[in-house]
Each structure stands twice: as structure tokens, then as C-alpha cells.
Amino acid sequence: MKTQTLKTKKVANKIERITGCEAVVRSLIAEGVDILYGYPGGAIMPVYDELFKFQDQIHHVLTRHEQGAAHAAQGYARISGKVGVAIATSGPGATNLITGIADAQIDSTPLVCITGQVASHLLGSDAFQETDIVGISTPVTKWNCQVTKSEDIPAAIAKAFYIARSGRPGPVLVDITKDAQFGELDFNYEKCKGVRSYNPIPKTSQEAVNAAAELINAAKKPMIVWGQGVILGQAEAELKTVIEKAGIPSAWTILGASALPSTHPLNIGMVGMHGNYAPNKLTNECDVLIAIGMRFDDRVTGDLSTYAKQAKVVHFDIDPAEIDKNVKTDVAVLGNSKESLAMLAEALNENSHEAWLKEFKDLYTIEYDAVINGDLNPTKEGLTMGEVIKQINIQSKGNAAIVSDVGQHQMIACRYADFNVSKSNITSGGLGTMGFALPAAIGAKMAAPEREVVAIIGDGGFQMNIQELGTIFQQKVPVKIVILNNEFLGMVRQWQQLFFDKRYASTEMTNPDFVTIAKGYHIEGKRVSNRKDMEAAVKEMIESKESYFLEVCVEKEDNVFPMIPSGASVSDVRLS
């Protein structure tokens, strides 16, 4: 006589017989997942059937494209510090996740992506919607696997979450065949606590910390550049202690923005291609360069053969692979930034570097007169992107989480937004993904409903994932959307102007009526082209309790300065 399979709710300390698809959902719940983003299809349909049954415990958000699901999960992860989850079917559903996965990999965002797959007996047969997603995703995931047996599902998901969130975070992918979803298993979920040969957090050496402190204590012109590793390590307080105790001028990469308030007197601004004049220029004059949780990206260093050659380099990082990868290090301190910076603070002497700090202030004055004042307080007729960001600062009191897309508006937002709270700058850094901001803002707002979330997007990037307006409408996500419309692919056009004799090849945009499109999704919207209307429009947007769409028509051919030409030295930063 056939034994009847019992499928019941979880019973404490008891092993139950359930299906693989239910095990997927129960495993996610066991990991504390309350929201996930995705798009259904044939190969993942059994899991969706279980999500329907468990909708009182886990909320599925139907995005309008799988790329949107991945970016929304990124936004959720970046503002919450939790693991973001995206789910898709096999074939095109899975491949549509790849851009978001690659973005998460280079920006160290913890993501778990679950994809359905054709039945195991069809693998390798070119079955309908079969794609080798494990092979495709291998270069852009921290770890991935394919599950063909239902009894392997809980362990695979537990391992996925452990790897995604531990050490230097990153995306993982679990591909589950359809027969594994339908099969049965004895379910008993255990969280993963370690993986053989995987050491996510290297032990911090006291000797290395002491060596770093010795260099810093003896320095006459020390300079800190911190990155997202400070935020991922929850080390904002420790960073502040180090900076203030040693009196060190400190700059940030775009992903490190907001770890220290913008108004802090030792915050000297952003480094990189469109960073501030002073920290770029003086990188090649400091005697000790302290890099914290950053990877010496080419957009930060410019020409490596001339980068900080005069300086002793101290590098704090959790990932040994980053040490000496781009810049030769004199002292490397491995470990979690929260622990290593606390140890450093103990070993540092009280100090101040007023004369050195004055050099930064003097160069800031030069940049203010040449660039900043014109961006924020323009006298010309057309609106600038900078004055829009300034007005958002005023109306939000500098407490908004800014989710920016990629392009000129991104650099302007990073340069001029007030970041008073950590995890306030959410953008695509390493991959530079146009279309990131709209879905990422959805995830950010759903993860932190108490925060004001403002998406800053260009007219080009907006149209790459414009369909996610439908997700905002259906889910009633009160995110604020600002389109800075210059009718160009602005960053590419700037390069064409400066380096290609103004040959604007395929960069001018003929745009639709964006406000009408937003209203088609029942999102209130307004279009502003005159300075006299801008303040009231931004105020109305910020005060709205619902989603709001604001299109601001800005100068068509404004450029973002300062700028380090590609491949040039950071000392060659241009103000015009």
C-alpha cells in the first residue's frame, strides 16, 4: 500500500517529508527572507506555486523584467545590509539576470539568485528554454551550483546564503532542475556555518596593524582613501575614530560615499575621474596613503605608473586578492574593517595636520570658483544638474538615500548630494550599468520604507528599464524619480566633445513624453524647464506620500568637471 505524503507547516525539531519546491521556499524563510524579486516561467513554476501558498510569510515582487529583479534585489541589499534574492525561470529568464549578477559581483553586493532548469534527463539536449546558466554565470558569481536532486536543495541554499554574505560579499546562483523541484525529501534545514577551504575573514595581524600605525604616526602628509569595505564591514564609527584621532584628510570612492558625513571637516571629497580637485591632485604629494576597503580601481588611480609613487602605501582589505593587485603595498592589513580599524585606532597617536589640511582647502577654493559655484549657483539661463541636486538636499535635509544611474547625472549626484546617513549612495560603480537606478530604487525603498529614496536618472538610462514603472504602480512603492533630461547620452557626448572633435555619433536622443508615460502608470508627474518652477516642484515631490515622477530639462551640452582624461595621471585633473 502506497504511503500518503504529508505536507504540513513546519514542526519544530521534526523532519518532514515535503517536495523540493516547498523546500526552496521554506529554506528562504529559514534564512530570514521576507521579500524577493522575480518573474515566473515554466521551469520555475513549481516554486512559484509554493510561494503562493506561503505568501503570508514571504512577499514576491513581480518585476517587469528579470534584469529589473536582479537590480531591485541589489538595491534591497545595499540599503539593508541583508542578502537580496532574485528568482527566474530557465533559458532567457536566467540569462536576463546576468547583468545584475555581474554588477553585484564587481560591487560586492550579497545576492542569491535562484533559477529553474529543465528536467535533469533533458540537460545537454537543447531542450526548450535550456541554457547552461551555471557555465554562463561562473565568471560573474562568487559561487554557483546546479541541483538535480531534491534532497540537495536545503544544503545548496544554506551554502549559497553563507557564501553570499560572508567575507567580501557577492552574488551566488543556484540552478534547480524541474524534477528536483517535484521530487520529495526529508526536510530539516540547517544554516551553513562554514565551507571547507573557504576562509572568508582573514585574521588581522597585530604586527601588521603596528607597522601601519608606525608609518601613519610618522607621516607629515598622510591621506586616507576609503571605499565600500567600510560600509560592508559596518565600520563607520571606527573609521571616524581613526580619522579624528590622527587628524588625517580623508577621501572616498563613489561606493564609499556616506560612510562619513559630507560635512565632516576631515572629509575632503571624492577621488576618481570626476572626483574633487584637491584629493586627486594631492594623491601624488602625500607621504603615506592609507587605503581602506577599496580596490584601486582604474577610475580612481588613472595612470598606475604615476600613481602615488612618492608615498608609502598601507592597504586595509578583507580580500587578499586585492593586495598588490594594482598598487604595490608597503603594509597590508587583512581582515574585517571593523576589527582592523579598531585595532589601528588603539595604536595611533593623537595628531593633527593643519598645514597639510590647508592645502586641500586651498585647492577646494580653486575648484569652487572654477566649477562648483557655477554648477550649484548658475547665472546662465538653462538649468544645471547640480542645482537640482542642491534643491533635493535642501528639501530632504540631506537625509535622502540617493539611487543614481550611470552617466553625467551619476557623477553630479555623487559630487553634490549631501550624505548624512550611511548607505545613502546606491549606484552601479564597477560595471557602470545603465538602467540600474529605477529597479534598484524599488528594492531600496521596500527595504527601508522609513527613508526617503530618490532615484536620479538620465533620459538614456531611464529608458533601459522604463518598464519597472509598472512594478512601482502595482506594488505602490513611494519612490521618487528624477529624470535629468539633456536629450543626450551625456557622458559619451562629453567624451565626443573633448576627444573626438564634437562628432556626436549616435548620442543625441529623441525622447518621448516621459510625464505622460508615468501618468499612464498612475504615477503623478511634472516637467520643469524653468528655474523659477524648480524649487516648488522638488518640494512637492519630496512632500508627496506616494511615488512621484519629476522630469527636469537641463542644459544639453553641460560637462562634468573636474575630469581626469582616460589613462592620464591623477595630477593631470582638469577643471575645464
Side-chain angles (χ1 to χ4, degrees), residues 309-532:
K309 290 301 179 183
Q310 79 295 336
K312 297 290 186 182
V313 177
V314 179
H315 194 173
F316 288 76
D317 211 282
I318 199 169
D319 186 356
E322 292 299 337
I323 304 300
D324 294 333
K325 187 179 80 173
N326 294 324
V327 173
K328 179 65 178 174
T329 300
D330 293 280
V331 177
V333 183
L334 293 173
N336 180 280
S337 56
K338 191 173 186 68
E339 178 184 2
S340 59
L341 290 179
M343 293 169 66
L344 178 66
E346 288 291 323
L348 287 177
N349 297 333
E350 295 271 358
N351 209 337
S352 65
H353 299 277
E354 291 302 323
W356 174 230
L357 184 61
K358 185 177 184 301
E359 292 189 42
F360 288 92
K361 292 178 178 177
D362 289 345
L363 290 181
Y364 176 81
T365 300
I366 293 172
E367 180 186 352
Y368 185 87
D369 293 340
V371 177
I372 297 172
N373 189 44
D375 282 347
L376 300 184
N377 308 295
T379 55
K380 57 187 173 184
E381 183 179 346
L383 288 166
T384 67
M385 295 183 184
E387 65 181 312
V388 180
I389 302 300
K390 177 184 175 181
Q391 194 56 232
I392 291 171
N393 289 337
I394 293 169
Q395 300 300 332
S396 69
K397 298 179 173 59
N399 294 320
I402 303 297
V403 185
S404 58
D405 214 76
V406 172
Q408 287 181 314
H409 61 280
Q410 176 192 35
M411 295 296 101
I412 291 293
C414 289
R415 282 176 53 78
Y416 296 129
D418 287 340
F419 298 122
N420 296 330
V421 183
S422 186
K423 300 186 181 72
S424 289
N425 185 41
I426 299 168
T427 192
S428 173
L431 197 64
T433 305
M434 292 177 68
F436 171 88
L438 188 61
I442 295 171
K445 184 63 178 178
M446 295 185 80
E450 75 285 356
R451 296 200 63 184
E452 190 71 78
V453 175
V454 181
I456 307 293
I457 314 177
D459 48 313
F462 177 56
Q463 293 178 85
M464 286 202 169
N465 272 315
I466 193 171
Q467 75 285 340
E468 298 308 328
L469 292 174
T471 307
I472 292 172
F473 167 51
Q474 182 170 348
Q475 297 292 324
K476 295 180 170 55
V477 185
V479 67
K480 310 300 168 59
I481 307 156
V482 179
I483 305 302
L484 299 180
N485 184 1
N486 58 11
E487 297 182 345
F488 268 107
L489 299 176
M491 188 62 81
V492 183
R493 184 213 57 76
Q494 177 169 336
W495 281 51
Q496 289 171 334
Q497 176 184 339
L498 298 176
F499 308 117
F500 293 87
D501 297 324
K502 295 187 177 182
R503 292 187 296 275
Y504 296 156
S506 301
T507 48
E508 191 164 8
M509 305 281 287
T510 301
N511 291 317
D513 185 334
F514 290 131
V515 174
T516 296
I517 291 172
K519 288 183 176 178
Y521 286 100
H522 302 278
I523 297 171
E524 186 63 33
K526 184 166 289 186
R527 186 174 193 261
V528 171
S529 56
N530 293 314
R531 186 166 289 115
K532 63 182 177 60

Side-chain angles (χ1 to χ4, degrees), residues 89-378:
T89 193
S90 64
T95 58
N96 282 343
L97 290 174
I98 289 295
T99 297
I101 293 172
D103 196 288
Q105 172 79 339
I106 200 165
D107 282 355
S108 303
T109 304
L111 215 61
V112 168
C113 295
I114 295 173
T115 54
Q117 185 56 275
V118 300
S120 56
H121 72 277
L122 293 174
L123 291 172
S125 70
D126 294 331
F128 177 68
Q129 291 192 333
E130 182 199 357
T131 298
D132 179 11
I133 195 61
V134 171
I136 290 170
S137 65
T138 294
V140 293
T141 49
K142 189 177 177 184
W143 177 74
N144 65 15
C145 72
Q146 185 174 79
V147 180
T148 60
K149 297 178 181 179
S150 56
E151 57 265 30
D152 295 335
I153 288 173
I157 292 178
K159 187 175 180 181
F161 274 87
Y162 174 74
I163 292 174
R165 67 164 66 99
S166 60
R168 181 180 181 174
V172 302
L173 182 140
V174 179
D175 189 46
I176 308 174
T177 62
K178 200 165 185 179
D179 52 322
Q181 296 172 52
F182 277 127
E184 294 183 348
L185 69 150
D186 294 327
F187 181 77
N188 182 34
Y189 193 80
E190 293 183 7
K191 288 190 176 184
C192 181
K193 298 179 180 178
V195 177
R196 188 176 64 180
S197 77
Y198 170 52
N199 180 28
I201 304 178
K203 181 175 174 57
T204 301
S205 163
Q206 185 66 57
E207 290 75 16
V209 171
N210 291 343
E214 185 177 348
L215 282 176
I216 296 168
N217 287 334
K220 302 300 182 185
K221 293 185 175 184
M223 175 177 163
I224 286 174
V225 178
W226 84 81
Q228 190 185 201
V230 172
I231 296 171
L232 294 172
Q234 301 177 42
E236 294 91 341
E238 289 76 11
L239 174 71
K240 185 170 181 284
T241 298
V242 165
I243 289 171
E244 291 178 347
K245 185 175 183 180
I248 302 175
S250 301
W252 39 273
T253 70
I254 63 170
L255 293 185
S258 80
L260 190 73
S262 303
T263 54
H264 193 284
L266 291 171
N267 186 335
I268 54 172
M270 181 172 75
V271 292
M273 180 171 281
H274 292 288
N276 291 101
Y277 188 59
N280 276 321
K281 197 84 173 172
L282 296 180
T283 293
N284 283 354
E285 295 185 27
C286 67
D287 56 2
V288 177
L289 179 65
I290 306 108
I292 304 172
M294 55 85 77
R295 57 189 180 84
F296 290 111
D297 177 72
D298 63 292
R299 286 291 174 102
V300 166
T301 65
D303 181 9
L304 280 169
S305 69
T306 63
Y307 183 79
K309 290 301 179 183
Q310 79 295 336
K312 297 290 186 182
V313 177
V314 179
H315 194 173
F316 288 76
D317 211 282
I318 199 169
D319 186 356
E322 292 299 337
I323 304 300
D324 294 333
K325 187 179 80 173
N326 294 324
V327 173
K328 179 65 178 174
T329 300
D330 293 280
V331 177
V333 183
L334 293 173
N336 180 280
S337 56
K338 191 173 186 68
E339 178 184 2
S340 59
L341 290 179
M343 293 169 66
L344 178 66
E346 288 291 323
L348 287 177
N349 297 333
E350 295 271 358
N351 209 337
S352 65
H353 299 277
E354 291 302 323
W356 174 230
L357 184 61
K358 185 177 184 301
E359 292 189 42
F360 288 92
K361 292 178 178 177
D362 289 345
L363 290 181
Y364 176 81
T365 300
I366 293 172
E367 180 186 352
Y368 185 87
D369 293 340
V371 177
I372 297 172
N373 189 44
D375 282 347
L376 300 184
N377 308 295

